[in-house]
Amino acid sequence: MSKGVILLVSPSFPPMEGGVAMATYEMARDLQCRGWDIHVLTPESGLPPDSSLPDPCSVTRISFVSSHETRHRIDACLEHIHPSLVIFHSWQDWHLDYMAALCRERNIPMIIRSHGCHTDFHSFFRIQYPPFFGIKKWITSFPTIRRNVNKITGHLHLVCLDDHGSLFKGYDYYYAKKRGMPNFTVIPNTFLPLQPSSFSFRKKYHLEHSLLFSCPASASVRKNQKAFIRHVKKSNIKGIQFIFLVPQYNSYAEQMEKEADGDPAFRFFYGLPRHEVQAAIIESNAVFLYSIQEQQPLTLLEAMSCGVPWIAPDVGGISTLQGGIVLKKRNTRNLQQALLQMTQENTRKILSLAGKQFWCHRYSPKVVYYQWEILFNDLLKKNRVSTYSRSESADIHSPFKT
């Protein structure tokens, strides 16, 4: 028997790459398995389907023709599905205001799932951005977040990724807490832990005898892989095979390859099926990121779930995680020291245990979905009481009452 009907609205959904898409996918799959009737509403990506990620539930993909036509299709979707709850993933404005208005009209509780907001001061002052563009983007992000958070009233509820926030990092959580907003909650990401299988990534790609450090992330300026390659080459580190697991080849991936310049220490894999990416993470000695902006990277949580240590910079909520080495600054010297530490087997064992225990305690599906179901039941209960109160009030004041 269904516990209730939940509509997940996401600006992207597999086969689209990215953390928000994968977080939505994992939520859809796990909630469906827990007895909730899940439907997903998402824009049409135009990409071919990925057979390794079959749709876990009913998915409606809307191709964009015009804003009016898209809204008409959203109306039809809500009329057809009749959701008990709507979860809108991220602040990205894919008809967010319109969806909120529809939910208010239909008396449907709506959760805005924040996957983090880019207010990291330092990320906008770097070579890739002209200074004035960086300043403008950084400054305008604050009023945008304030305006969005201030909309969280009545039937709307905000769910942040973690309880880590400051003026320059995790600003949505910081501002909501500072305001004393009653209807916001902290619930982290989660997914099923990665499990070894009969498939061997190392054997298939002839990597059996190397220290293997992997980076499962899209190729982009924000992920900063090019700088990582440059700093590794300057550090003159030997004996490590660095692999980049990139969902799609693009212009930045081309720049990464040019930066590597044929160095055999770096290998690039594009568009691998999901089971091969998972095997690569499980069989890695370490996972690394070099991002200039993150909130709660799924890459690191995946590594922690199977006891793989990690290296990542101090951005977003990364410093609150355990099981890895946090880089205070992204430079050759700090990266060299972290890589040398991670080549030590004893260091990896200590970090592996710490990360796995921390993941089990805070990020495992059992822990996270217990929090989600408490929230769902609370919102549904409040909505029933509110609906009953309005109905009773309307009945009392009805001019047709006998």
Side-chain angles (χ1 to χ4, degrees), residues 92-293:
Q92 185 172 332
D93 190 17
W94 187 73
H95 301 284
L96 170 58
D97 289 342
Y98 184 69
M99 180 64 71
L102 283 179
C103 288
R104 187 181 297 110
E105 290 172 9
R106 290 165 168 76
N107 194 36
I108 304 170
M110 177 170 163
I111 296 168
I112 295 182
R113 175 61 156 143
S114 172
H115 290 271
C117 299
H118 301 147
T119 55
D120 180 3
F121 179 81
H122 298 288
S123 69
F124 297 113
F125 293 87
R126 60 189 195 279
I127 293 173
Q128 288 95 332
Y129 283 156
F132 291 107
F133 175 76
I135 292 171
K136 180 181 178 182
K137 185 175 181 181
W138 177 68
I139 290 175
T140 56
S141 65
F142 287 95
T144 301
I145 294 167
R146 284 170 63 98
R147 185 167 59 250
N148 283 331
V149 170
N150 285 335
K151 294 176 183 176
I152 307 297
T153 56
H155 73 297
L156 291 175
H157 193 97
L158 172 64
V159 176
C160 297
L161 281 175
D162 53 43
D163 54 0
H164 174 77
S166 67
L167 184 60
F168 299 133
K169 289 198 294 186
Y171 182 68
D172 50 351
Y173 169 80
Y174 168 81
Y175 181 62
K177 184 179 180 182
K178 187 176 180 180
R179 274 196 58 204
M181 197 174 75
N183 45 333
F184 88 100
T185 311
V186 174
I187 305 178
N189 278 322
T190 191
F191 45 83
L192 294 175
L194 304 189
Q195 300 288 349
S197 66
S198 57
F199 173 79
S200 173
F201 181 88
R202 284 178 175 266
K203 186 174 182 180
K204 179 175 179 178
Y205 295 104
H206 310 292
L207 296 165
E208 295 99 323
H209 307 296
S210 304
L211 270 179
L212 193 64
F213 288 20
S214 63
C215 177
S218 56
S220 72
V221 170
R222 188 164 66 87
K223 297 297 183 181
N224 207 30
Q225 294 102 323
K226 195 167 71 166
F228 178 88
I229 295 169
R230 182 168 62 252
H231 292 167
V232 168
K233 292 173 76 172
K234 287 182 179 179
S235 68
N236 203 30
I237 290 283
K238 304 295 182 184
I240 302 175
Q241 181 73 68
F242 300 97
I243 63 170
F244 296 87
L245 306 164
V246 181
Q248 289 179 292
Y249 185 81
N250 56 25
S251 59
Y252 189 84
E254 184 180 2
Q255 295 175 42
M256 290 163 55
E257 292 186 352
K258 286 182 179 178
E259 190 69 50
D261 194 27
D263 190 327
F266 307 102
R267 290 187 63 178
F268 303 89
F269 299 89
Y270 301 104
L272 294 182
R274 181 62 182 161
H275 75 276
E276 290 199 18
V277 174
Q278 290 182 347
I281 295 172
I282 292 168
E283 296 173 35
S284 293
N285 299 102
V287 159
F288 64 90
L289 282 178
Y290 218 51
S291 305
I292 55 177
Q293 293 173 348

